Amino acid sequence: VAPLMMQDVAHAFELLKSTEKLQKAGDVLSTLILELPHRELGGKLTPWNEVHQISKLCKEECIHFHCDGARIFEASAGYGLSLPKLAKPFDSVYISFYKGLGGISGAMLLGSSSFCTEARKWLRRFGGNLYTLVPYAASGWSGYKRHVKGEGRIATFEEKQEKLAHIVNHLSNMEDVSSVLSFDPPIPETNMFHGLLRASAEECLHASKKVEEESGICVLSRVRDIDETDPAFDSGFRSKFELAMGDTNFLIENDAFYTGWKDLVNEIKEGKGS
């Protein structure tokens, strides 16, 4: 599945205008939200030129353009763009403190002064005002210094993406592994991907348990069956999982990934009698 593109947005706006007999889509639609990266699509990114085209169209249609940037630091690494450049096409941006940054909780909303003033009113109306935000701000700032600036010998998001891409490329070229495992996207666009397996979740978890008992390598811990309505099911895949390269698994040697997956695939094949 491809990420949101300009043609998708333009088609939706035109359909809305023709159905409601409007001059501009903004007459009934206030905001378009774009998630970067698309977690449900394995960390894919809408091409940067498409983001700019969508931003221009939103302005023409008098619609606010908001970025769901819970993982904006991962997106920044994926695009190879600074945070100011990444935020520029948007009217407002949401940033999470606890996801990529590893803070205790909290988030930040960025936008114009008038927008943030209005947002504060609604924050209070919805009961979101706290006695102090200092713990969240402090842990968020600490996470920014460690994960984005690379202080304290923590790998940056660029380094995590590079390591993950290397592992995916290697596994994709291992014929025995690639006969059972496929990656979406084929080349990670951020520090995460979705994996597709030609075995049920139960078969995969059983095989993973055996591999861990024999080698001490835990390959899979969370995997779920693919629904029959999913296009991947028609391609022969029966389960899927998500993997993100974080601080802990970044420290694992690449050879451990290769060995673990090779052993897992062999266990799956043996269980199927092939």
Side-chain angles (χ1 to χ4, degrees):
V1 179
L4 185 71
M5 306 291 273
M6 169 64 176
Q7 63 180 14
D8 303 318
V9 178
H11 175 72
F13 286 177
E14 288 303 317
L15 184 62
L16 180 63
K17 288 193 290 185
S18 63
T19 302
E20 301 294 331
K21 301 186 182 333
L22 306 170
Q23 291 296 318
K24 292 183 180 296
D27 292 341
V28 294
L29 188 66
S30 69
T31 308
L32 176 69
I33 300 175
L34 178 63
E35 182 186 29
L36 294 177
H38 300 274
R39 182 191 173 183
E40 294 300 320
L41 300 181
K44 293 176 184 175
L45 293 165
T46 295
W48 190 238
N49 64 315
E50 297 275 330
V51 174
H52 273 283
Q53 291 179 39
I54 294 172
S55 176
K56 180 180 178 182
L57 179 61
C58 284
K59 287 181 173 61
E60 294 172 355
E61 295 289 345
C62 300
I63 293 173
H64 297 288
F65 194 25
H66 175 75
C67 176
D68 178 349
R71 297 172 176 81
I72 196 169
F73 303 103
E74 292 91 325
S76 175
Y79 282 125
L81 295 172
S82 66
L83 291 170
K85 288 184 178 179
L86 182 54
K88 190 172 182 179
F90 300 95
D91 297 300
S92 56
V93 179
Y94 158 77
I95 297 174
S96 170
F97 287 169
Y98 73 87
K99 290 181 180 174
L101 297 184
I104 56 176
S105 188
M108 180 184 289
L109 182 64
L110 300 92
S112 66
S113 178
S114 59
F115 171 79
C116 290
T117 298
E118 186 69 16
R120 287 191 182 92
K121 296 177 184 177
W122 284 100
L123 177 70
R124 179 172 289 274
R125 287 168 181 164
F126 284 122
N129 55 302
L130 301 175
Y131 176 73
T132 178
L133 297 175
V134 171
Y136 307 102
S139 66
W141 177 239
S142 174
Y144 176 80
K145 290 192 292 183
R146 288 183 289 112
H147 294 278
V148 180
K149 294 298 185 180
E151 296 181 13
R153 296 182 180 179
I154 294 293
T156 64
F157 290 111
E158 288 84 358
E159 291 171 329
K160 293 171 184 174
Q161 179 184 349
E162 183 180 349
K163 179 183 178 75
L164 188 62
H166 186 84
I167 291 170
V168 167
N169 179 65
H170 188 93
L171 291 174
S172 297
N173 287 299
M174 293 174 65
E175 189 173 345
D176 51 345
V177 173
S178 61
S179 64
V180 174
L181 171 66
S182 183
F183 301 97
D184 185 31
I187 301 174
E189 297 178 21
T190 54
N191 66 320
M192 66 179 294
F193 68 80
H194 283 177
L196 304 172
L197 293 154
R198 298 184 186 277
S200 69
E202 183 179 2
E203 291 171 323
C204 292
L205 290 174
H206 177 73
S208 182
K209 183 179 180 181
K210 289 191 66 176
V211 170
E212 186 173 5
E213 290 173 349
E214 295 173 4
S215 67
I217 299 175
C218 179
V219 183
L220 287 175
S221 59
R222 293 181 181 179
V223 58
R224 61 185 181 184
D225 287 318
I226 291 177
D227 190 87
E228 292 184 13
T229 60
D230 192 315
F233 189 90
D234 294 332
S235 298
F237 297 104
R238 294 296 178 264
S239 63
K240 60 184 177 181
F241 65 94
E242 177 182 287
L243 189 146
M245 184 60 65
D247 297 333
T248 303
N249 56 359
F250 180 85
L251 300 176
I252 299 173
E253 294 292 333
N254 289 4
D255 284 343
F257 286 95
Y258 309 148
T259 300
W261 273 106
K262 183 177 180 179
D263 292 346
L264 178 68
V265 167
N266 288 336
E267 285 292 343
I268 291 174
K269 289 182 174 180
E270 287 181 11
K272 288 179 173 292
S274 59

